[in-house]
Amino acid sequence: MNFYVTSGTPDYMEKLIAKNPQHPLILLHGNGNSVVLHETDKKSIFAVPRNFEVIAQKGQFEQKGYFTFYNMPIMSDERPVFEKKALDIIPSLNSNDGVIAYRLLRPIKAETYLFIIQWGGPASYEVWKNGDYYKTSFSPVFEGNTPALQSMFNSSSYITTYSAPPRE
């Protein structure tokens, strides 16, 4: 499955959504920019997409809730190690009632993996983030904040958050 992400101003992204009602697009607004998500077997409809391959998933993204994007720049020779560690940890999210959907995305022509999690709301994310499992298992792999795993990263990982405005 192909996954595409594009970003821009809120106005431009809303126009993009309006022009493409036949496509299952998800519009998200963040701090200073907006993104649109498109998951399809076909080519992207975006002019300048970030291209990914889905390697792990749960559920379907919906136009609601709160989204966290884990951006992880992984060195090319460390990709298999990172993917194995990530795929071992991700199933723990399947039993979290606050998680609506997620996608672990392998970059096609870049180095930055993307892990998108859709939450029922920011409170669900905060509860999970403050839990022991996050600190001891999830964070070391997805944020590279332990010396043993930092060597996989080309640069620092970072998290961005977005809200999905309900469609009118």
Side-chain angles (χ1 to χ4, degrees):
M1 183 67 71
N2 300 314
F3 200 97
Y4 304 103
V5 179
T6 193
S7 60
T9 64
D11 286 346
Y12 184 78
M13 296 293 103
E14 288 174 16
K15 289 176 185 169
L16 177 67
I17 294 282
K19 287 180 186 175
N20 294 283
Q22 72 279 21
H23 295 283
L25 304 175
I26 302 293
L27 172 65
L28 305 174
H29 296 304
N31 190 10
N33 78 324
S34 295
V35 298
V36 175
L37 311 178
H38 185 210
E39 188 169 17
T40 181
D41 292 334
K42 299 178 174 114
K43 290 186 175 187
S44 176
I45 61 166
F46 303 148
V48 185
R50 289 173 53 199
N51 305 330
F52 298 93
E53 176 185 359
V54 177
I55 57 174
Q57 65 181 16
K58 173 194 171 189
Q60 289 299 112
F61 288 136
E62 303 171 24
Q63 189 64 49
K64 67 177 186 179
Y66 186 76
F67 288 73
T68 53
F69 284 44
Y70 286 80
N71 300 269
M72 300 143 305
I74 304 298
M75 294 179 15
S76 61
D77 56 337
E78 294 290 342
R79 283 179 166 207
V81 174
F82 170 76
E83 288 183 18
K84 168 83 171 90
K85 290 183 179 300
L87 291 171
D88 286 347
I89 290 171
I90 288 173
S92 68
L93 288 171
N94 293 339
S95 60
N96 186 318
D97 292 337
V99 175
I100 296 171
Y102 62 72
R103 298 290 183 278
L104 177 60
L105 305 170
R106 177 189 297 136
I108 301 297
K109 294 181 180 179
E111 64 183 25
T112 301
Y113 281 74
L114 186 59
F115 187 46
I116 303 173
I117 308 170
Q118 181 181 14
W119 302 90
S124 298
Y125 169 63
E126 289 300 325
V127 167
W128 174 72
K129 187 177 177 185
N130 290 319
D132 288 339
Y133 188 80
Y134 181 87
K135 293 172 187 167
T136 60
S137 298
F138 189 90
S139 179
V141 172
F142 287 88
E143 296 178 39
N145 58 11
T146 62
L149 297 175
Q150 280 178 339
S151 64
M152 291 190 307
F153 289 75
N154 276 341
S155 59
S156 296
S157 67
Y158 61 97
I159 303 167
T160 52
T161 59
Y162 298 90
S163 295
R167 292 242 167 90
E168 297 172 10

